[in-house]
Amino acid sequence: MLGCLTFVAPFSPSPLLSLHRFSPLSVPSSPSGLLKFASRRFSITATKAESLSTMAVSDERLCSYDWIQDAENVGSVKRQLAHLFEVSLRTTVPSEPDIAPLVEPCAAKSGVKFGDYQCNNAMGIWSKIKGKQAEFKGPPSVGQAIMKNLPPSDIIESCSVAGPGFVNVVLSRNWIAQSLQRMLIDGIETWAPRLPLKRAVVDFSSPNIAKEMHVGHLRSTIIGDTLARMLEFSHVDVLRRNHVGDWGTQFGMLIEFLFEKFPNPEDVNEAAIGDLQTFYKASKVRFDSDPEFKQRAQQAVVRLQGGETRYRDAWKQICEISRTEFHRVYERLGVHLEEKGESFYNPHIPGVLEELNKKGMIEDSEGARVIFLKDVNIPLIVVKSDGGYNYASTDLTALWYRINEEKAEWIIYVTDVGQQQHFDMVFKAAKRAGWLPADDNSYPKATHVGFGLVLGEDGKRFRTRNTEVVRLVDLLDEAKNRSKTALLERDTAKEWPEEEVEKTSEAVGYGAVKYADLKNNRLTNYTFNFDQMLNDKGNTAVYLLYAHARICSIIRKSGKDIEEVKKNAKIALDHEDERALGLHLLQFSEVVEEACTNLLPNVLCEYLYNLSEIFTKKFYSNCQVVGSPEEGSRLLLCEATAIVMRKCFYLLGIVPVYKI
């Protein structure tokens, strides 16, 4: 329940012990309010150090009050601090109960940070209460009051106020260390965010039957799979939908051509047909050049839609051959989907259109049946002039089904940006029908996740030399083969068993293709370049996978059983680079939540790359692990880093490697 959260003491051995209810805490009760509460981002500007007023939180005060945290978000520092500031805000300005805490990680100003996190409410509060409350003279005094009214907490080491009331928070080293230690014992699943919904549909990949999957499907498949993984990790029941194009007029052409080539249905198989794309093109040439064939093809559509057995069986054969090809791609990418194609929704279309018609939404226009939408200069055609259905009628029906039958609260469509207008119109029609609320931040809601083009090095759409779109299977196989060649150039790998070479080549090759896509903001185009994505330096999957393998190597070289180290050693963050690593690890939960909320996988990629950089260039460069007096603690930091990296890899659909 969003309006009635439960909490636990921060240092309980288990996150499920010592449950309490805390009445003064006022968390937004609506899903939209909670998302706003958790995800609003602000740019932060700190002023000169001379303007700081510092408040140290004494150990005595910390121990005098057992602060409580959200049991469903024990991994999110941002949420736990937000709860603390929520209490302070209710005390500071009781006349403004709707103010939500604005807490964000501190941004560096000219290389200087005044804390780890910052509360940015003072200026907004001042604009509301100016002239109403005499005790406040401006934003700085509001900030001082917010800081003063913070309840004591083991989380906070010290606070300070900078400039126009920014309240800076320095986290306790001991609390960071104990939070990491608890994750190592209880598992990283305890850091999974909790989103304000139970079920989502992610509609992605969605190739067309009888057409080859090509690089154009790459982004939808990779991005959609990562969004599904992040939502699943965040305790959302995700229905992974493959909305394949398995219905329409083109099937009459394909079926009639199939009958010509294979009079005996038993002769039809993948080997006999060969390349389905070539088969499709040959049937299209015949359709365009032979009027008699065209007429038979049009009749075949009618017979297929009428359910005649012979035509249905031929349609199923064509679909099955396509699925075999799709499976080769999904198997390489490690992607799982449930197919519910256009044909699945076709029987539901008449009922859905009848509902819209009864609501007065459908009108006649130039022989077609259309829906006119406010602020859109073209109508949404739902029945063509020849009486047939189209993408709009199918997509409206699919949306209706997902909301009413599958009870999804968030329906996410992952397609190229070129389909943005189409989905905007479908969503507008759904709102007009009352299926979706008018407020885009309320549930249920539908979101189009657009993405840019995959470009070649010439800056044009990625194609082969003969101008054909690149087959996705060939692309992935080349990535694996290039990865294998680079791997075998390493002396250590030459002694590996063939199976290990193959698995590592697949993990690195396929991971490189995925990461090269996901690290970019999905709305932008990106250039496909094997040399760049397979580089072992810079922001690439290869660099990150090798960094993970090096961490595993450090632990192996210690000769210690890491499970025994977890039982006997304690994490200490006495060195600044140990603390920097620990803090970044602790921000994993809120980064995943931000990536989910905004549907931006590149946010998680940036976090992962920065984690690797902090570990390699700060912690490992300046903090000896094996053989040092701090070996136990630092091995645990290595293990925590490896665990978080592996979870990031999993969410991005990348298989980790453990040695290089």
Side-chain angles (χ1 to χ4, degrees), residues 290-342:
D290 187 336
E292 185 181 344
F293 178 86
K294 183 176 183 178
Q295 187 175 7
R296 293 203 311 273
Q298 290 169 339
Q299 285 299 311
V301 174
V302 176
R303 292 181 173 183
L304 172 64
Q305 294 177 346
E308 287 191 31
T309 302
R310 183 178 178 227
Y311 290 83
R312 280 276 176 165
D313 288 346
W315 170 73
K316 289 177 181 177
Q317 287 176 312
I318 293 168
C319 289
E320 196 55 42
I321 292 170
S322 273
R323 288 190 191 101
T324 301
E325 180 64 25
F326 299 161
H327 179 71
R328 292 191 184 104
V329 173
Y330 298 142
E331 187 176 39
R332 285 164 172 76
L333 292 174
V335 171
H336 305 283
L337 298 108
E338 181 182 356
E339 183 180 309
K340 270 190 167 63
E342 293 174 357

Side-chain angles (χ1 to χ4, degrees), residues 363-509:
E363 304 176 36
D364 292 317
S365 178
E366 299 180 11
R369 302 278 285 161
V370 306
I371 298 174
F372 289 101
L373 300 164
K374 185 179 180 182
D375 300 325
V376 182
N377 57 11
I378 57 173
L380 185 66
I381 300 172
V382 293
V383 181
K384 297 184 292 185
S385 57
D386 63 3
Y389 301 133
N390 60 3
Y391 287 129
S393 43
T394 302
D395 285 335
L396 275 169
T397 302
L399 182 55
W400 174 89
Y401 186 90
R402 290 161 177 176
I403 294 169
N404 293 285
E405 298 296 326
E406 296 180 323
K407 307 300 181 184
E409 296 157 274
W410 198 0
I411 302 96
I412 298 164
Y413 296 83
V414 186
T415 75
D416 65 87
V417 291
Q419 297 187 47
Q420 180 72 54
Q421 185 184 48
H422 166 75
F423 281 106
D424 283 348
M425 293 174 71
V426 169
F427 299 161
K428 280 178 180 284
K431 289 177 182 178
R432 186 176 163 191
W435 303 345
L436 297 173
D439 179 8
D440 286 334
N441 291 320
S442 299
Y443 292 97
K445 67 178 180 178
T447 306
H448 177 246
V449 174
F451 55 81
L453 297 173
V454 181
L455 305 177
E457 293 181 52
D458 58 359
K460 299 178 181 178
R461 189 188 291 266
F462 189 50
R463 298 178 185 273
T464 59
R465 289 182 181 177
N466 63 359
T467 74
E468 292 290 332
V469 176
V470 180
R471 293 173 73 240
L472 197 43
V473 167
D474 295 340
L475 193 79
L476 295 170
D477 287 348
E478 184 172 353
K480 175 196 168 184
N481 292 335
R482 288 185 179 222
S483 171
K484 184 176 181 179
T485 299
L487 185 65
L488 291 174
E489 290 175 356
R490 293 173 174 264
D491 292 335
T492 53
K494 292 176 182 178
E495 300 174 0
W496 289 6
E498 179 62 24
E499 182 181 1
E500 189 170 7
V501 171
E502 288 295 312
K503 286 185 177 179
T504 304
S505 300
E506 289 175 358
V508 175

Side-chain angles (χ1 to χ4, degrees), residues 2 14 26 35 73 75 154 224 258 295 326 357 359 363 396 428 475 487 491 551 578 602 619 624:
L2 294 174
S14 165
S26 176
L35 283 175
N73 283 285
D154 290 344
L258 188 73
Q295 187 175 7
F326 299 161
N357 192 48
K359 293 180 177 180
E363 304 176 36
L396 275 169
K428 280 178 180 284
L475 193 79
L487 185 65
D491 292 335
I551 295 171
E578 291 174 318
N602 63 293
F619 171 75
Q624 180 186 343

Side-chain angles (χ1 to χ4, degrees), residues 509-632:
Y510 302 155
V513 172
K514 288 186 177 186
Y515 190 81
D517 186 321
L518 294 169
K519 73 176 182 180
N520 300 287
N521 185 306
R522 56 176 168 76
L523 292 171
T524 62
N525 300 335
Y526 88 96
T527 301
F528 193 97
N529 183 300
F530 276 122
D531 291 335
Q532 289 180 5
M533 66 177 58
L534 290 168
N535 195 328
D536 61 2
K537 296 179 177 61
N539 189 8
T540 67
V542 184
Y543 167 74
L544 296 169
L545 287 166
Y546 285 2
H548 172 263
R550 280 192 292 272
I551 295 171
C552 296
S553 176
I554 294 167
I555 296 172
R556 285 195 302 269
K557 287 179 180 178
S558 74
K560 302 291 176 61
D561 180 345
I562 197 64
E563 295 305 318
E564 288 300 315
V565 178
K566 288 179 187 179
K567 295 175 185 177
N568 300 317
K570 298 294 182 184
I571 295 176
L573 305 175
D574 297 327
H575 193 285
E576 279 305 308
D577 293 328
E578 291 174 318
R579 187 186 186 282
L581 177 61
L583 176 61
H584 193 77
L585 288 167
L586 214 55
Q587 292 172 332
F588 168 75
S589 177
E590 61 204 54
V591 168
V592 175
E593 182 172 355
E594 180 189 342
C596 283
T597 303
N598 299 315
L599 302 172
L600 291 173
N602 63 293
V603 171
L604 183 61
C605 292
E606 182 181 4
Y607 170 85
L608 175 59
Y609 177 66
N610 288 337
L611 173 58
S612 181
E613 290 282 275
I614 291 169
F615 180 91
T616 303
K617 297 182 178 179
K618 288 188 176 182
F619 171 75
Y620 191 61
S621 295
N622 300 316
C623 302
Q624 180 186 343
V625 178
V626 179
S628 70
E630 302 86 2
E631 181 181 80

Side-chain angles (χ1 to χ4, degrees), residues 33-184:
L34 188 54
L35 283 175
K36 193 174 182 182
F37 173 83
S39 301
R40 193 179 304 177
R41 297 181 64 78
F42 280 76
S43 59
I44 303 168
T45 304
T47 57
K48 295 180 180 179
E50 288 81 3
S51 68
L52 293 177
S53 170
T54 300
M55 176 194 77
V57 182
S58 69
D59 291 340
E60 180 180 351
R61 186 181 175 208
L62 287 175
C63 296
S64 69
Y65 188 96
D66 284 334
W67 180 240
I68 50 184
Q69 64 188 38
D70 183 351
E72 294 186 336
N73 283 285
V74 294
S76 175
V77 180
K78 183 172 162 182
R79 279 186 176 272
Q80 292 178 67
L81 288 174
H83 293 328
L84 290 167
F85 279 102
E86 176 79 20
V87 175
S88 174
L89 291 172
R90 298 293 78 80
T91 304
T92 304
V93 279
S95 61
E96 302 289 341
D98 296 328
I99 295 175
L102 306 178
V103 177
E104 290 296 334
C106 279
K109 177 73 172 179
S110 301
V112 178
K113 287 174 64 176
F114 295 108
D116 300 318
Y117 284 81
Q118 194 170 63
C119 176
N120 307 308
N121 284 94
M123 292 178 69
I125 290 173
W126 175 247
S127 68
K128 288 176 175 287
I129 66 171
K130 187 177 181 180
K132 298 178 184 178
Q133 294 183 227
E135 69 266 31
F136 298 122
K137 306 301 181 184
S141 62
V142 175
Q144 291 283 352
I146 293 172
M147 181 180 70
K148 178 182 176 182
N149 290 322
L150 274 171
S153 167
D154 290 344
I155 299 174
I156 298 174
E157 184 172 293
S158 65
C159 290
S160 59
V161 176
F166 299 135
V167 181
N168 297 305
V169 174
V170 175
L171 301 181
S172 161
R173 289 175 186 261
N174 289 337
W175 182 80
I176 296 172
Q178 292 184 21
S179 298
L180 295 173
Q181 194 104 27
R182 193 180 315 117
M183 182 276 287
L184 288 172

Side-chain angles (χ1 to χ4, degrees), residues 171-394:
L171 301 181
S172 161
R173 289 175 186 261
N174 289 337
W175 182 80
I176 296 172
Q178 292 184 21
S179 298
L180 295 173
Q181 194 104 27
R182 193 180 315 117
M183 182 276 287
L184 288 172
I185 295 169
D186 296 338
I188 196 169
E189 302 302 321
T190 59
W191 282 5
R194 292 275 181 175
L195 301 183
L197 71 151
K198 293 181 179 179
R199 176 173 290 175
V201 166
V202 181
D203 180 327
F204 66 105
S205 193
S206 307
N208 289 314
I209 294 291
K211 291 186 178 180
E212 198 81 61
M213 281 188 78
H214 53 74
V215 72
H217 295 105
L218 181 71
R219 300 204 77 179
S220 177
T221 305
I222 290 174
I223 294 169
D225 180 56
T226 291
L227 295 178
R229 286 170 181 262
M230 292 194 301
L231 289 167
E232 287 161 350
F233 177 64
S234 304
H235 305 283
V236 178
D237 176 23
V238 178
L239 306 181
R240 294 160 163 260
R241 291 290 178 256
N242 199 3
H243 190 87
V244 297
D246 65 350
W247 201 250
T249 56
Q250 76 272 22
F251 280 96
M253 173 184 79
L254 289 165
I255 289 169
E256 200 58 40
F257 194 66
L258 188 73
F259 289 160
E260 277 193 0
K261 293 291 183 182
F262 303 96
N264 183 359
E266 295 181 1
D267 295 336
V268 178
N269 55 56
E270 185 181 4
I273 288 180
D275 183 63
L276 200 55
Q277 183 83 352
T278 302
F279 185 86
Y280 181 93
K281 289 180 179 179
S283 67
K284 184 70 167 66
V285 170
R286 188 72 191 281
F287 183 86
D288 292 338
S289 61
D290 187 336
E292 185 181 344
F293 178 86
K294 183 176 183 178
Q295 187 175 7
R296 293 203 311 273
Q298 290 169 339
Q299 285 299 311
V301 174
V302 176
R303 292 181 173 183
L304 172 64
Q305 294 177 346
E308 287 191 31
T309 302
R310 183 178 178 227
Y311 290 83
R312 280 276 176 165
D313 288 346
W315 170 73
K316 289 177 181 177
Q317 287 176 312
I318 293 168
C319 289
E320 196 55 42
I321 292 170
S322 273
R323 288 190 191 101
T324 301
E325 180 64 25
F326 299 161
H327 179 71
R328 292 191 184 104
V329 173
Y330 298 142
E331 187 176 39
R332 285 164 172 76
L333 292 174
V335 171
H336 305 283
L337 298 108
E338 181 182 356
E339 183 180 309
K340 270 190 167 63
E342 293 174 357
S343 63
F344 175 85
Y345 302 104
N346 198 63
H348 299 280
I349 293 176
V352 170
L353 294 186
E354 178 61 25
E355 177 185 327
L356 297 177
N357 192 48
K358 286 180 179 178
K359 293 180 177 180
M361 290 176 57
I362 299 179
E363 304 176 36
D364 292 317
S365 178
E366 299 180 11
R369 302 278 285 161
V370 306
I371 298 174
F372 289 101
L373 300 164
K374 185 179 180 182
D375 300 325
V376 182
N377 57 11
I378 57 173
L380 185 66
I381 300 172
V382 293
V383 181
K384 297 184 292 185
S385 57
D386 63 3
Y389 301 133
N390 60 3
Y391 287 129
S393 43
T394 302

